[in-house]
Amino acid sequence: ITELLQLYRSHGIRRVVANNPSKFTAWGTGTYLLGEGHVAIVDPGPADDAHLAALLAAVEGETVTHLLVTHTHADHSPAAAALAAATGAPTYGFGPHPAGADDHTEEHGDVDFVPDVAVRDGDVIAGEDFEVECLHTPGHISNHVCFADRTRRCLFSGDHVMGWSTSVISPPAGSITDYLTNLRRLVGRDDEVYYPTHGPPIPDPQAYVQSLIDHRLLRERQ
């Protein structure tokens, strides 16, 4: 725990974990606060009053300037609406929940979310204490985006790469072909640590991602 706290502090990152543990969320949705003074919130989390209150308490006295959403599953994006109303910060994401997605899974979609700013692959979002590049990483779901902080050399990997489990890939919005393609894309980057929405930070992330690729290919051969 001490090592994790030191890692967060060295990057100017804080984390508030929602009380929504499950087989999909591990210990709960980990919402990140990026920067100090002027803050971006990454994956606001579920529609939960206690989680919203904890987030607002964590940024008391600061200015929330950006709400970054990796994708529209119900444990990631619903709190964005209440946070936007409370802080005035715009939301950023790839787009609304894909039509027909998750109809036969337990990972329900947030069909109400529409980003104020629709991002695309390669877009850069800049704040006073951060500059993040948007990486469109479909696979887990077609509107998934990772956010790479260029200065901190870290990646907010959402559910594309998790710290406790492999990702659920559920057609039609999920695609194993896209998932593997975008895992291979990450292997070629120089990010030093990943901050997934579920599970602990991932040091030496390229080796970890390669192990995910190898696991999926082994399952395919089986």
Side-chain angles (χ1 to χ4, degrees):
I1 292 175
T2 299
E3 291 177 354
L4 292 181
L5 289 175
Q6 290 174 343
L7 184 59
Y8 288 136
R9 288 169 181 162
S10 68
H11 282 170
I13 292 168
R14 293 160 285 169
R15 193 181 200 194
V16 179
V17 180
N19 185 25
N20 63 332
S22 75
K23 64 183 180 180
F24 288 112
T25 64
W27 303 275
T29 299
T31 298
Y32 291 98
L33 313 179
L34 172 61
E36 298 178 357
H38 290 79
V39 178
I41 295 180
V42 183
D43 273 352
D48 177 85
D49 289 343
H51 186 56
L52 175 64
L55 289 171
L56 292 175
V59 297
E60 187 175 0
E62 299 179 286
T63 301
V64 178
T65 59
H66 300 73
L67 302 173
L68 310 181
V69 175
T70 63
H71 66 293
T72 52
H73 279 140
D75 54 319
H76 290 255
S77 59
L83 276 174
T87 66
T91 58
Y92 295 74
F94 189 81
H97 195 65
D102 313 316
D103 291 341
H104 58 287
T105 77
E106 295 182 44
E107 286 199 286
H108 303 297
D110 176 11
V111 296
D112 295 325
F113 178 79
V114 178
D116 295 317
V117 180
V119 302
R120 292 296 178 261
D121 190 68
D123 285 354
V124 175
I125 302 169
E128 289 200 9
D129 193 28
F130 56 85
E131 183 179 84
V132 297
E133 178 185 1
C134 303
L135 305 178
H136 182 214
T137 48
H140 173 65
I141 189 172
S142 59
N143 67 358
H144 195 287
V145 179
C146 294
F147 298 102
D149 189 297
R150 293 175 162 183
T151 302
R152 294 170 174 85
R153 293 182 66 185
C154 65
L155 181 82
F156 296 94
S157 58
D159 282 3
H160 184 54
V161 178
M162 298 193 291
W164 75 294
S165 171
T166 58
S167 297
V168 173
I169 311 297
S170 180
S175 164
I176 190 65
T177 299
D178 288 345
Y179 175 67
L180 288 172
T181 296
N182 286 294
L183 286 180
R184 293 186 179 103
R185 178 185 184 190
L186 295 188
V187 171
R189 293 177 53 86
D190 63 353
D191 308 292
E192 293 182 346
V193 60
Y194 290 176
Y195 292 111
T197 304
H198 307 292
I202 303 168
D204 192 15
Q206 290 77 18
Y208 184 81
V209 171
Q210 186 60 54
S211 74
L212 295 179
I213 296 170
D214 294 341
H215 167 73
R216 292 287 180 165
L217 294 178
L218 174 62
R219 293 292 298 273
E220 184 178 277
R221 290 194 297 271
Q222 291 174 338

